[in-house]
C-alpha cells in the first residue's frame, strides 16, 4: 500500500504509511492541518486544496474540468494545484509528496 | 418532491435567456443573479458586492424584526475575518467524531420514540423542529433542556404573523444569556465564549454579542427544518433510496450534498454594490442591492448534468447551497453532520416511511417563487425488524 507525505502549511512534513483512498480522506483521517474536506469529496468546497510537488505532477495527472473550475476561484491556486478529494491513491503513487495549501 | 417537473428550479428559462431576474421585494427592485459562475464570482468579490449593510443582507430586509446588526454576516473583511475567527473553532467541532456520534444518538432516540408509538407523525412540528432545537443545544454547548424554550419560537423567529413579537422574545432571551455569561466565570459554551472574547484588544459590546446570537438562532433554523423535512418526504416517496443507502453507506455524504443542492434551503442572499457593477450584460447602479441566487446557480445546466434529477450518487457536485467566499456558511459543518446522521439512522433503522398527507408550501407573489418546501408532512415510520432488535449499528 502506498506511502504519502503531506507538507503542512507550517512547512513540517507528515508521512502516512499504507494510505488508502483519496488525498482528502487520508488527510482528514490523520488530522492533517489545513484540509478539512467539508463537502465530503464532491468537489464543492475547496477545503482540500493541495499542490503536487513538481516531480510527481506527471504521474498524478491533470485536474478534471469541474475541479479546474473550482480551483479558478482560489487566489492561491497555480499549475500544480489539485483538489485532494479528486486524487485517488494507487500503487504507482507510492511515495507521493504534496504541499497543503490551507486557508 | 418530484423528479421530473422540478419545483425547486423556477428560474430555468430566465437564467438561460437573461441571466438576471428583476425581483420586487417590499417595493425595492432587486436584480437577482441567476447563473452559476456569476453567483460564485460575485460571492467571492466582497468589495464590489458588499455585506457591510446592517439589516440588508437578507432579502427582504429585517429592520422591523431585529435591532442588532447580525455578525459576522453583515460585515466585510477585514472586520468580518476577525469577528468570524472568534466563533470558528466552535462551529468546526461538528466535524469531530464524538460530536457526530452524539448527533446520531440524538436522532436515533427521537426516531425510536416515534417508532414505538406507531402513530402518524407530523414531521415539521414533531420531528424536524425538535431535532433542530436539540441539535443546536449541542452546537452551542448548552444543556439540552434549553431546547424547550426555543421550541416555542416555531419555524423561524422572524417569520409569520407574530414575527415582531417572536423577534422581541428572542432578543430578550439572548440578552439575558449574554449578561449571565458575562457575570460568570469563562466557560466553553457559545454565550460564554462571546461574553469573554477579546476583539482588537477589547471585550465585545452587548450589541456585538447580540449580533452573533441573533444569526446563530435565525440562520440555522428554517434552513435545517426545511432540509430535514424534505429529506424525509423524499425517502417516503422513494423507499428504494433507503435500501440503497443501507447497502452502500459510502453514498451518505454524497447524498447529503445532493439534497443540499436540490433543496437549497437559502434561496438567495443580498449584497449591495457601493460603486455599481456589471453582471450578465446588466448594469447595477451604485448603491443598488442584488441577490446572489444560490438556488438558481445550483440548477445551471452549464455545470450540472441533468440538474432536475436527484442523483444520490452525484459526484462531482460543485453546488453553492452553503454559499461561497468569505461568508460561506459557518453552520455548514453542523448542518452536514446533522443531515448525514439523519440519512444514516434512517437507513439503519427504517424499512420504509409511509406518506399519509402533505401540504407543500406554495407562496404566490410578484417574484419567481420556489416550491417544494413542506408546510406539513404526515408520515408513519416503519422500523426494520431484523436490525432494530440485535442492536447492530
Ligand atoms: C442546511 C442548512 C443551512 C444552509 C443551506 C445555510 C446556508 C447559508 C448560506 C448560503 C450562507 C451564506 C450567506 C452569505 O453569503 O451572505 C450562510 C451563512 C451563514 N450561516 Fe448558514 N446555512 C445553513 C445552516 C446554518 C446553521 C445550522 C447555522 C448555525 C447555527 C448557520 C449559520 C450561518 C452563519 C453564522 C453564516 C454567516 C457566515 C459569515 O458571514 O461568515 N447556518 N449559510
Ligand atoms: S472535499 Fe470539498 S472539494 Fe474536496
Amino acid at each position: 500500500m502506498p506511502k504519502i507525505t503531506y507538507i503542512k502549511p507550517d512547512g513540517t512534513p507528515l508521512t502516512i504509511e499504507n494510505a488508502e483512498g483519496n488525498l482528502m480522506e487520508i488527510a482528514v483521517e490523520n488530522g492533517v492541518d489545513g484540509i478539512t474536506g467539508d463537502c465530503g469529496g464532491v468537489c464543492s468546497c475547496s477545503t482540500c486544496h493541495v499542490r503536487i510537488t513538481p516531480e510527481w505532477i506527471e504521474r498524478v495527472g491533470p485536474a478534471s474540468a469541474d475541479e479546474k473550475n473550482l480551483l479558478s476561484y482560489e487566489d492561491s491556486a497555480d499549475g500544480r494545484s489539485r483538489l485532494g478529494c479528486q486524487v485517488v491513491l494507487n500503487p504507482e503513487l507510492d511515495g507521493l509528496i504534496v504541499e497543503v495549501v490551507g486557508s | 418532491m418530484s423528479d421530473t417537473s422540478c419545483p425547486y428550479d423556477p428560474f430555468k428559462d430566465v437564467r438561460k435567456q437573461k441571466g438576471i431576474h428583476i425581483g420586487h421585494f417590499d417595493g425595492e427592485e432587486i436584480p437577482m443573479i441567476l447563473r452559476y459562475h456569476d453567483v460564485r464570482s460575485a460571492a467571492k468579490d466582497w468589495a464590489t458586492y458588499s455585506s457591510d449593510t446592517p439589516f440588508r443582507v437578507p432579502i427582504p430586509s429585517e429592520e422591523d424584526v431585529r435591532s442588532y446588526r447580525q455578525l459576522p454576516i453583515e460585515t466585510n473583511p477585514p472586520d468580518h475575518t476577525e469577528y468570524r475567527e472568534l466563533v470558528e473553532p466552535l462551529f468546526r467541532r461538528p466535524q469531530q467524531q464524538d460530536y457526530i456520534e452524539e448527533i446520531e444518538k440524538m436522532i436515533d432516540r427521537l426516531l425510536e420514540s416515534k417508532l414505538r408509538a406507531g402513530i402518524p407523525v407530523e414531521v415539521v412540528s414533531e420531528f424536524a423542529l425538535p431535532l433542530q432545537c436539540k441539535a443546536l443545544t449541542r452546537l452551542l454547548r448548552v444543556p439540552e433542556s434549553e431546547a424547550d424554550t426555543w421550541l416555542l419560537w416555531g419555524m423561524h423567529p422572524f417569520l409569520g404573523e407574530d414575527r415582531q413579537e417572536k423577534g422581541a422574545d428572542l432578543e430578550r432571551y439572548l440578552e439575558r444569556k449574554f449578561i449571565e455569561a458575562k457575570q460568570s466565570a469563562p466557560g466553553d459554551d457559545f454565550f460564554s465564549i462571546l461574553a469573554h472574547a477579546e476583539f482588537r484588544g477589547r471585550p465585545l459590546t452587548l450589541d456585538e454579542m447580540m449580533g452573533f446570537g441573533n444569526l446563530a438562532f435565525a440562520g440555522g433554523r428554517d434552513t435545517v427544518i426545511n432540509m430535514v423535512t424534505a429529506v424525509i418526504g423524499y425517502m417516503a416517496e422513494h423507499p428504494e433510496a433507503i435500501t440503497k443507502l443501507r447497502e452502500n453507506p459510502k453514498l451518505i455524504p454524497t447524498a447529503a450534498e445532493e439534497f443540499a443542492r436540490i433543496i437549497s434551503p437559502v434561496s438567495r442572499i443580498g449584497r449591495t454594490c457601493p460603486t455599481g457593477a456589471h453582471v450578465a450584460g446588466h448594469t447595477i447602479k451604485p448603491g443598488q442591492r442584488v441577490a446572489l441566487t444560490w438556488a438558481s446557480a445550483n440548477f445551471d445546466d452549464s455545470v450540472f448534468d441533468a440538474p432536475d434529477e436527484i442523483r444520490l450518487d452525484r459526484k462531482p457536485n460543485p453546488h453553492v447551497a452553503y454559499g461561497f467566499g468569505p461568508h460561506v456558511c459557518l453552520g455548514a459543518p453542523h448542518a452536514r453532520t446533522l443531515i448525514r446522521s439523519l440519512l444514516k439512522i434512517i437507513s439503519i433503522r427504517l424499512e420504509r416511511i409511509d406518506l399519509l398527507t402533505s401540504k407543500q408550501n406554495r407562496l404566490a407573489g410578484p417574484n419567481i417563487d420556489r416550491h417544494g418546501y413542506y408546510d406539513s408532512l404526515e408520515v408513519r415510520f416503519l422500523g426494520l425488524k431484523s436490525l432494530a432488535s440485535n442492536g447492530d449499528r
Side-chain angles (χ1 to χ4, degrees):
Chain A
M1 273 298 161
K3 176 173 100 173
I4 169 162
T5 301
Y6 294 91
I7 315 277
K8 294 191 274 183
D10 67 3
T12 57
L14 179 75
T15 298
I16 291 147
E17 310 274 349
N18 295 323
E20 210 176 326
N22 66 53
L23 296 191
M24 179 279 289
E25 288 167 345
I26 299 164
V28 169
E29 272 161 31
N30 292 279
V32 176
D33 291 342
I35 297 185
T36 53
D38 291 6
C39 75
V42 300
C43 214
S44 166
C45 72
S46 303
T47 62
C48 59
H49 184 181
V50 295
R51 275 195 208 99
I52 312 294
T53 43
E55 52 277 30
W56 285 95
I57 285 191
E58 213 157 296
R59 263 172 288 176
V60 171
S64 70
D66 282 298
E67 199 183 333
K68 279 194 183 131
N69 247 326
L70 208 55
L71 283 167
S72 72
Y73 291 100
E74 295 298 306
D75 294 331
S76 50
D78 63 23
R80 297 197 282 119
S81 289
R82 292 292 311 261
L83 292 174
C85 65
Q86 305 301 306
V87 181
V88 181
L89 273 199
N90 62 48
E92 272 176 44
L93 296 180
D94 186 20
L96 177 65
I97 303 173
V98 302
E99 298 157 18
V100 178
V101 177
S103 52
Chain B
M1 211 187 280
S2 145
D3 283 4
T4 42
S5 68
C6 192
Y8 290 100
D9 180 28
F11 304 103
K12 185 175 304 199
D13 295 339
V14 58
R15 178 175 56 240
K16 257 219 166 86
Q17 289 155 16
K18 297 190 185 144
I20 297 273
H21 169 69
I22 306 295
H24 295 262
F25 300 90
D26 291 346
E28 185 181 349
E29 264 190 15
I30 302 185
M32 301 176 74
I33 304 176
L34 301 179
R35 292 179 184 148
Y36 180 88
H37 287 290
D38 291 339
V39 170
R40 255 204 204 256
S41 305
K44 180 176 151 77
D45 182 2
W46 55 266
T48 308
Y49 298 90
S50 169
S51 297
D52 188 13
T53 52
F55 314 110
R56 294 175 62 76
V57 168
I59 297 176
S61 312
E62 292 182 346
E63 281 97 341
D64 62 333
V65 286
R66 56 179 160 100
S67 40
Y68 299 94
R69 167 195 284 236
Q70 281 184 339
L71 293 178
I73 198 170
E74 290 170 346
T75 56
N76 280 347
D79 297 1
H80 169 264
T81 320
E82 288 182 51
Y83 278 127
R84 184 166 164 130
E85 274 167 5
L86 300 177
V87 289
E88 183 102 43
L90 186 77
F91 281 89
R92 279 265 161 219
R93 288 210 72 254
Q95 292 179 326
Q96 292 173 14
Q97 196 53 37
D98 61 332
Y99 190 102
I100 297 170
E101 280 165 21
E102 275 184 58
I103 296 289
E104 286 175 359
K105 280 195 197 125
M106 194 178 269
I107 294 173
D108 202 22
R109 280 198 302 272
L110 185 62
L111 196 60
E112 197 168 325
S113 69
K114 306 296 177 200
L115 267 177
R116 222 182 271 134
I119 44 158
V121 178
E122 199 290 288
V123 176
V124 179
S125 58
E126 295 170 13
F127 190 89
L129 177 62
L131 175 57
Q132 186 275 334
C133 290
K134 277 177 210 270
L136 189 63
T137 64
R138 185 64 192 76
L139 177 67
L140 304 185
R141 301 175 75 86
V142 299
E144 204 173 308
S145 55
E146 290 293 302
D148 300 340
T149 309
W150 305 351
L151 271 168
L152 304 174
W153 299 323
M155 237 341 227
H156 193 302
F158 303 154
L159 293 180
E161 307 228 311
D162 51 349
R163 56 193 237 142
Q164 280 161 333
E165 209 174 299
K166 283 192 295 187
D169 237 30
L170 171 65
E171 288 194 356
R172 273 193 299 274
Y173 172 86
L174 292 175
E175 245 168 46
R176 186 161 52 78
K177 287 287 166 190
F178 283 122
I179 290 168
E180 277 172 18
K182 185 107 194 158
Q183 290 164 347
S184 315
D188 61 4
D189 65 282
F190 176 72
F191 299 107
S192 188
I193 288 171
L194 289 167
H196 296 279
E198 197 176 290
F199 178 76
R200 296 182 176 162
R202 61 161 176 87
L204 292 177
T205 63
L206 182 61
D207 280 13
E208 287 170 324
M209 293 181 224
M210 289 295 288
F212 278 101
N214 221 292
L215 181 55
F217 276 82
R221 198 168 177 95
D222 58 338
T223 47
V224 168
I225 294 170
N226 280 329
M227 185 113 155
V228 167
T229 310
V231 164
I232 292 178
Y234 178 84
M235 292 301 183
E237 287 180 357
H238 299 82
E240 74 284 358
I242 301 181
T243 319
K244 192 168 166 180
L245 295 183
R246 179 163 54 241
E247 284 166 359
N248 189 358
K250 278 209 148 183
L251 276 184
I252 287 173
T254 315
E257 297 305 310
E258 179 68 341
F259 283 120
R261 180 186 75 86
I262 288 280
I263 297 159
S264 293
V266 176
S267 295
R268 57 168 185 260
I269 200 90
R271 294 288 190 263
T272 301
C273 300
T275 55
H278 292 278
V279 56
H282 255 74
T283 302
I284 312 294
K285 293 186 238 82
Q288 196 175 10
R289 279 212 290 173
V290 298
L292 309 182
T293 315
W294 315 112
S296 167
N298 282 341
F299 291 86
D300 190 328
D301 66 5
S302 72
V303 175
F304 301 96
D305 186 28
D308 291 353
E309 273 174 38
I310 302 177
R311 297 182 176 167
L312 300 188
D313 55 358
R314 186 182 291 275
K315 203 174 181 176
N317 184 356
H319 71 83
V320 285
Y322 293 106
F324 180 62
H327 295 279
V328 67
C329 182
L330 252 178
H334 172 77
R336 284 179 157 125
T337 289
L338 191 75
I339 296 305
R340 290 172 188 172
S341 303
L342 177 69
L343 294 174
K344 176 171 168 184
I345 299 301
I346 286 178
S347 69
I348 290 177
R349 287 290 178 197
L350 298 185
E351 154 112 48
R352 61 171 208 276
I353 302 170
D354 283 347
L355 200 154
L356 304 175
T357 62
S358 72
K359 195 165 151 239
Q360 297 232 332
N361 188 330
R362 299 219 173 261
L363 296 165
N367 299 297
I368 303 185
D369 282 309
R370 300 179 68 221
H371 307 305
Y373 299 142
Y374 290 96
D375 277 340
S376 67
L377 173 68
E378 202 186 17
V379 303
R380 188 178 284 117
F381 294 114
L382 289 121
L384 196 68
K385 299 267 165 2
S386 55
L387 277 180
S389 52
N390 67 13
D392 178 17
R393 310 229 165 142

